[in-house]
Amino acid sequence: MLPLLLPDPTLCLDRIEITEKALTLCLRATCPAASCPLCTQPASQVHSRYTRHAQDLPIQGRAVVLRLMVRRFFCRNPDCPRRVFCEPLLRLLARHARATTRLSDTHRDLGLALGGEPGADLRPVPRKVQIAAIRNWGDSEASGASHCTSRNSS
């Protein structure tokens, strides 16, 4: 069941919170290291952590919210201008995204299928969201694989 909810096997489900209107999945990454997005050098020393929130496709009429504990890592490459970076979750979310890749794809598909006034009454998401999803089509950074690396990889 969990692989259906989470397309990224490097995520661990810590807790599920269920309310009348929403299902919240509390997640964290389990990779011991992450690659710097600029120099691609693996890094394992954690700088800090923060909580990131994202929406996912609804389940049984309930909104699904992902509460992700994301780590920031130090990049120890002296030639790299990036000193601190966040671990990427590219199988699940594009950088800076507030919706999962599959929810963004659904918004885009609805915008393409229901675009214009004929679909105005059927549109389940705001028009601005659909337009942004259509404009960003093909520009998504989410098409790449997760950059999870182990300490022993080179």
Side-chain angles (χ1 to χ4, degrees):
M1 173 84 168
L2 195 56
L4 294 174
L5 292 174
L6 302 173
D8 191 340
T10 66
L11 292 174
C12 176
L13 179 63
D14 287 333
R15 187 174 68 249
I16 298 175
E17 299 171 1
I18 302 173
T19 64
E20 189 175 312
K21 295 184 179 184
L23 175 75
T24 302
L25 304 175
C26 301
L27 307 163
R28 63 182 162 80
T30 58
C31 291
S35 294
C36 174
L38 294 183
C39 70
T40 68
Q41 180 172 327
S44 59
Q45 186 177 0
V46 176
H47 173 274
S48 59
R49 291 174 174 80
Y50 72 99
T51 303
R52 183 174 173 186
H53 294 85
Q55 292 182 328
D56 197 7
L57 292 171
I59 297 175
Q60 295 292 316
R62 286 190 173 122
V64 174
V65 177
L66 304 180
R67 187 180 306 149
L68 300 148
M69 182 59 64
V70 182
R71 298 171 292 182
R72 291 184 180 103
F73 288 92
F74 287 105
C75 180
R76 294 297 186 196
N77 181 354
D79 299 327
C80 182
R82 177 80 46 99
R83 295 292 169 230
V84 176
F85 65 93
C86 298
E87 63 187 322
L89 302 170
L90 298 179
R91 288 186 187 169
L92 186 65
L93 298 165
R95 295 187 194 284
H96 309 289
R98 294 186 181 175
T100 61
T101 304
R102 58 187 173 195
L103 180 59
S104 296
D105 290 348
T106 302
H107 287 170
R108 183 200 63 229
D109 293 345
L110 283 170
L112 290 170
L114 303 177
E117 291 305 314
D121 293 336
L122 301 174
R123 189 177 298 124
V125 294
R127 183 174 180 184
K128 287 181 182 180
V129 172
Q130 289 178 341
I131 291 171
I134 292 169
R135 284 185 180 153
N136 293 332
W137 190 17
D139 293 341
S140 176
E141 294 177 297
S143 61
S146 175
H147 296 290
C148 179
T149 58
S150 66
R151 281 186 182 187
N152 298 332
S153 66
S154 50

